[in-house]
Every structure is written in structure tokens, then in C-alpha cells.
């Protein structure tokens, strides 16, 4: 029995997305990996197809589509074996802060561009001195008249160079309790005092323009604050469930993809006069990995349904984030081994997949933080 009951429209959508990615994305991935960034025109193409921010209500230019469309798009994107075109980050992680917490004026101003692909978004929480401990951020936001003055630095920001609009976490230094002092602000690229720094050279995720960002007396309208003053930390906590669930969806879809290409390889490659797939060790490894992938798929599909029903599944999502990302890393490693020397060569897709999997256990809350959250909720 399928846990997720996809409708015919969902299936048609998956076909359309897959065809679009095969034509418009996959042929360009090597070029983007080399360039270290995805061209902005690609975001526009995604928008033209209606593939961005699909859940945004129609009045702001979206489709008002259910979450399953985002799940499908994310799964299909994982099959393109690259991470630069971070549509799930934009559509399902950053823009929901605007849809949920921005004023009507801000929604009208920004959401249509987010949907069309003219506005690329990013979220900036992490700083050089703090990542896991969000309450310890040092970037400040000080009210002055109708404006807010921002000073500080962010790092590791995905879409950092391409972004036109940033959801920025900053603290009011006058508020002592760190959990009540954090706010989220919308900051436009090009605002005086907001500078994009260098692109970070990473071990993987080569087509992703991860960057440092700097704020020096950057003035934005006070009306660009999301929600009520002091609610920033709470808003982040509320949205992190979906962010982490997106990680799980990527991890499972990527593991399925890696396994698929590895099984194909093992059937084609021969040694000692027979296909690699005929060795008992290869069969056992493939069966072991398939079992793990199926466990991950079952767990994550159940959480997708729970999430869509509005259930609070913080503990389960934290568990799934740590388990599925580590599972994807184990699968990546096992698949490289079955490719032999070719698994270590750039020409073979498994090499990039292996490299790209490594970060999944680090961002969106490290896996140690995930276990800490689960332990706390379990009353340990
Ligand atoms: C490719 C990439 C993209 C990213 N994109 C973004 C983005 O778009 N926006 C953004 O804001 N950030 C982004 N990040 C940052 C990412 O979220 C942080 O790197 C992550 O939260 C960890 O923070 P840190 O690097 O400061 O590590 P630290 O917090 O210094 O952690 C170092 C180690 O200590 C462990 N540790 C820390 N605290 C505890 C604890 N309480 N219990 C047990 N162990 C602990 C950690 O688990 C880790 O193993 C990105 C990072 C990468 C690498």
C-alpha cells in the first residue's frame, strides 16, 4: 500500500517536471558546477513553468497547490544530481516566512516576484561565531524612527550571491533574553550597507553559490520586520519542521537515485567473466542498501502526510533528519565502493552524489542538534 495517495494530476505533474529537468537542467549541470553558480535565467524558466512557490495563494501569483507538488519537484530535482538550483530552499523554506508572517503590503510587494523567479531568496541565520546556537547570533537590528539599522555578518548562506531578497535573523541588543530578542527582517539586495562577500569554496555542492554576507549600518524600513517584534525565534522554530522535512525528502530521493544508477552499473560492469551484480557481496550490499532506502521512504512519506495534516511532528522529523541523512551518506559510500575506481572519477555521477551527500548531516540543524531536540522532547 502506498502511504501517499498521489492523484492523477500529481502524476502528470511529475512527468512534466521530469521532462523539463531532462531538457533544461541535466544537460547544463556540469557547466554550472564549473561556474559555481546557476544562471538567474534558469530561475526565471522555473517560474515561467509555474515550478516555484507553488503553494503561494493565487492572489499573489501562485497556484495554491498542495505540499505534494513541492515533494514531487524536490524528488525530481534530486535526480538531476546537483544542488545549485535550490528551488526547494526558495519555495519551501524561505518564502513560507513571507507567506506566513509578512504584512499584506510585503506579501503583495514580494510574493509575485518569488513565484515568477524574478526574485530569488535566501535565509541568513548562521554567523561565523555561531551556527547551532542560534540564540547566540551577534548581528544587531536597532530601531531608529521608521527604520531599522543592521550591523553584522552572516556566513554559509545558500543562494547568497544570486539572492535578491533575504530573510535575515538579527537581534535587538537592548533585549536581554536571547530568545525574545531575535527578529526576522526582509532585506533587499542592493540596499546600501548590505554587501555580498565571497563565494565559499566547498568540498561539494559546487553549483550552489553559498556566500558570506555583510551588514554595515544597513538601513531598512521598520515595516520589513516579519510578525511581531520579539517573535523571530518562535517563527524560526515553527518553520524548521518543514525545513528539516525537506532535507529528509532530498536524502531519501537522492539515495533512491544513487541506488538506481549503481544497480544499473553493477549489471553492466563485468569482472571475472560475469556482471558485478552476480557476486554475492554486491547482491548483499544492494539488498542492505535497498532495505535502508525503503525504511527511509516509509518513514518520510508518513511524515509528509502528518505534516500536511498540520500535526506537530518535531521529534519524528528530528529523528528522520538525522537518520535519513546518515542513511544517504552510507548509501553514497556503498555505491561508490560498488563502482570501484570509476566511483572516484568525476565522469561518473556517483562521485558527485557522494560528495554532495556529506553536508546533509550538517545543515538545517546538525544531526547532533536533531538528537538533542528529540531527547529533550522525550523528557530525557
Ligand atoms: C553548504 C551549506 C549551506 C548552508 N546554508 C545555510 C543557509 O542558507 N542559511 C544559514 O543560515 N545557514 C546555512 N548553513 C549553515 C549551517 O546551518 C551550519 O553550518 C550548521 O547549523 C552548523 O553550525 P556551525 O557550522 O556553526 O557548527 P557548530 O555549531 O560550531 O557545530 C560544530 C560541531 O559541534 C556540534 N555541536 C554544537 N552544539 C552542540 C550541542 N549542543 N550538542 C552536541 N553537539 C553540538 C555540532 O553538531 C557540530 O558537530 C549552511 C552550511 C553549509 C555547509
Amino acid at each position: 500500500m502506498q502511504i501517499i495517495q498521489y492523484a492523477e494530476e500529481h502524476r502528470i505533474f511529475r512527468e512534466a517536471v521530469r521532462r523539463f529537468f531532462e531538457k533544461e537542467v541535466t544537460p547544463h549541470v556540469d557547466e554550472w558546477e564549473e561556474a559555481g553558480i546557476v544562471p538567474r535565467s534558469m530561475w526565471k524558466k522555473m517560474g515561467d513553468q509555474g515550478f516555484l512557490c507553488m503553494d503561494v495563494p493565487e492572489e499573489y501569483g501562485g497556484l495554491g497547490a498542495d505540499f505534494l507538488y513541492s515533494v514531487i519537484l524536490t524528488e525530481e530535482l534530486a535526480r538531476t544530481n546537483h544542488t545549485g538550483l535550490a528551488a526547494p530552499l526558495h519555495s519551501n523554506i524561505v518564502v513560507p516566512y513571507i507567506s506566513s508572517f509578512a504584512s499584506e503590503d510585503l506579501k503583495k510587494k514580494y510574493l509575485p516576484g518569488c513565484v515568477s523567479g524574478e526574485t530569488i531568496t535566501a535565509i541568513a541565520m548562521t554567523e561565523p561565531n555561531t551556527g547551532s546556537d542560534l540564540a547566540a547570533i551577534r548581528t544587531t537590528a536597532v530601531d531608529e524612527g521608521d527604520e531599522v539599522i543592521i550591523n553584522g555578518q552572516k556566513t554559509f548562506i545558500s543562494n547568497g550571491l544570486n539572492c535578491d531578497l533575504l530573510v535575515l535573523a538579527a537581534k535587538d541588543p537592548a533585549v536581554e533574553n536571547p530568545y525574545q530578542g531575535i527578529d526576522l527582517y526582509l532585506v533587499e539586495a542592493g540596499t546600501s550597507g548590505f554587501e555580498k562577500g565571497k563565494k565559499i569554496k566547498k568540498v561539494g555542492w559546487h553549483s550552489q553559490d553559498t556566500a558570506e554576507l555583510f551588514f554595515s549600518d544597513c538601513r531598512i524600513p521598520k515595516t520589513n520586520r516579519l510578525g511581531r517584534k520579539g517573535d523571530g525565534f518562535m517563527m524560526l522554530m515553527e518553520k524548521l519542521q518543514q525545513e528539516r522535512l525537506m532535507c529528509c525528502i532530498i536524502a531519501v530521493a537522492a539515495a533512491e537515485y544513487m541506488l538506481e544508477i549503481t544497480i544499473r552499473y553493477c549489471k553492466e560492469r563485468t569482472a571475472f567473466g560475469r556482471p558485478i551484480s552476480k557476486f554475492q557481496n554486491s547482491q548483499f550490499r544492494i539488498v542492505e542498501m535497498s532495505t535502508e532506502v525503503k525504511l527511509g521512504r516509509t518513514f518520510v512519506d508518513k511524515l509528509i502526510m502528518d505534516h500536511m495534516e498540520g500535526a506537530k511532528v518535531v521529534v519524528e522529523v528530528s529523528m528522520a533528519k538525522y537518520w535519513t541523512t546518515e542513511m544517504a551518506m552510507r548509501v553514497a559510500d556503498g555505491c561508490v565502493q560498488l563502482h570501484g575506481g570509476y566511483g572516484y572519477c568525476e565522469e561518473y555521477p556517483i562521485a558527485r552524489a557522494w560528495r554532495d551527500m556529506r553536508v546533509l548531516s550538517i545543515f538545517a540543524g546538525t544531526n547532533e542538534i536533531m538528537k538533542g531536540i528529540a531527547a529533550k522532547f522525550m523528557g530525557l
Side-chain angles (χ1 to χ4, degrees):
M1 193 194 91
Q2 295 294 316
I3 296 172
I4 300 180
Q5 300 295 327
Y6 286 108
E8 185 56 18
E9 300 84 71
H10 292 122
R11 273 187 276 274
I12 293 168
F13 177 74
R14 188 184 290 278
E15 275 306 307
V17 172
R18 189 172 289 191
R19 271 199 311 274
F20 175 80
F21 286 167
E22 279 168 2
K23 184 162 171 269
E24 301 288 351
V25 173
T26 308
H28 303 290
V29 164
D30 287 347
E31 194 186 309
W32 299 342
E33 289 275 303
E34 196 67 37
I37 194 162
V38 172
R40 295 180 58 85
S41 55
M42 192 57 225
W43 286 86
K44 190 69 185 51
K45 278 188 192 172
M46 290 283 286
D48 290 345
Q49 294 294 318
F51 290 166
L52 296 175
C53 309
M54 292 172 289
D55 61 341
V56 163
E58 288 177 33
E59 57 188 302
Y60 306 111
L63 300 169
D66 67 51
F67 184 62
L68 289 182
Y69 287 88
S70 297
V71 172
I72 291 168
L73 189 124
T74 304
E75 289 175 350
E76 292 304 316
L77 198 57
R79 297 177 60 83
T80 65
N81 198 23
H82 91 292
T83 56
L85 183 61
L89 169 72
H90 169 78
S91 303
N92 306 110
I93 295 174
V94 190
V95 174
Y97 284 98
I98 306 175
S99 312
S100 301
F101 304 120
S103 65
E104 196 51 34
D105 284 350
L106 291 176
K107 285 186 198 175
K108 282 194 185 126
K109 184 173 178 190
Y110 292 120
L111 287 178
C114 296
V115 175
S116 71
E118 266 146 285
T119 305
I120 302 171
T121 61
I123 184 159
M125 297 178 270
T126 309
E127 301 183 355
N129 61 300
T130 189
S132 301
D133 185 5
L134 200 55
I137 58 169
R138 292 185 192 162
T139 297
T140 55
V142 177
D143 285 8
E144 192 183 277
D146 291 340
E147 293 182 322
V148 177
I149 308 169
I150 297 165
N151 279 289
Q153 184 181 344
K154 297 287 175 181
T155 192
F156 293 131
I157 308 308
S158 304
N159 289 350
L161 295 188
N162 261 339
C163 75
D164 305 288
L165 187 65
L166 193 64
V167 171
L168 173 82
K171 70 190 271 191
D172 181 345
V175 179
E176 230 168 80
N177 182 339
Y179 300 101
Q180 291 167 2
I182 293 179
D183 282 290
L184 302 181
Y185 296 93
L186 292 183
V187 185
E188 287 183 24
T191 307
S192 171
F194 168 25
E195 298 291 334
K196 295 175 178 178
K198 66 174 181 359
K199 186 167 64 194
I200 298 167
K201 267 192 154 184
K202 307 181 298 296
V203 171
W205 281 52
H206 289 164
S207 51
Q208 168 50 235
D209 53 314
T210 315
E212 295 177 320
L213 304 176
F214 300 91
F215 303 87
S216 174
D217 288 334
C218 171
R219 287 173 178 267
I220 57 165
K222 206 191 254 178
T223 47
N224 273 24
R225 182 157 46 223
L226 298 180
R228 276 187 327 196
K229 183 154 166 50
D231 280 356
F233 197 84
M234 207 192 65
M235 289 184 240
L236 288 167
M237 292 306 112
E238 188 183 319
K239 291 293 176 199
L240 281 172
Q241 173 167 307
Q242 180 154 309
E243 173 170 351
R244 286 160 188 167
L245 184 55
M246 297 312 292
C247 275
C248 302
I249 295 166
I250 292 168
V252 171
E256 287 170 344
Y257 163 77
M258 292 186 285
L259 205 52
E260 187 185 311
I261 59 174
T262 302
I263 291 172
R264 204 180 309 137
Y265 181 84
C266 288
K267 285 181 174 173
E268 284 165 7
R269 174 80 176 169
T270 56
F272 298 95
R274 52 187 172 145
I276 301 282
S277 60
K278 292 295 173 198
F279 295 118
Q280 193 185 51
N281 176 67
S282 311
Q283 294 172 347
F284 283 8
R285 281 301 291 130
I286 288 169
V287 170
E288 285 161 10
M289 290 191 290
S290 302
T291 307
E292 287 210 69
V293 173
K294 279 184 190 298
L295 283 169
R297 167 58 66 200
T298 308
F299 192 9
V300 171
D301 280 2
K302 162 82 168 58
L303 290 178
I304 290 169
M305 296 312 293
D306 290 343
H307 182 66
M308 286 178 70
E309 282 172 13
K312 288 261 171 285
V313 279
V314 175
V315 178
E316 291 78 1
V317 167
S318 303
M319 290 171 171
K321 196 273 174 179
Y322 108 71
W323 193 84
T324 58
T325 56
E326 286 176 12
M327 177 274 287
M329 282 158 33
R330 283 193 296 276
V331 168
D333 211 59
C335 289
V336 166
Q337 189 66 21
L338 286 170
H339 275 74
Y342 295 100
Y344 205 62
C345 295
E346 286 295 320
E347 255 176 81
Y348 284 76
I350 194 62
R352 181 187 302 149
W354 175 71
R355 225 180 26 223
D356 285 353
M357 284 308 109
R358 187 60 190 84
V359 77
L360 293 183
S361 66
I362 295 172
F363 64 20
T366 66
N367 284 6
E368 291 74 30
I369 295 296
M370 293 305 100
K371 291 175 198 174
I373 292 172
K376 192 171 164 203
F377 273 81
M378 288 165 72
L380 301 174

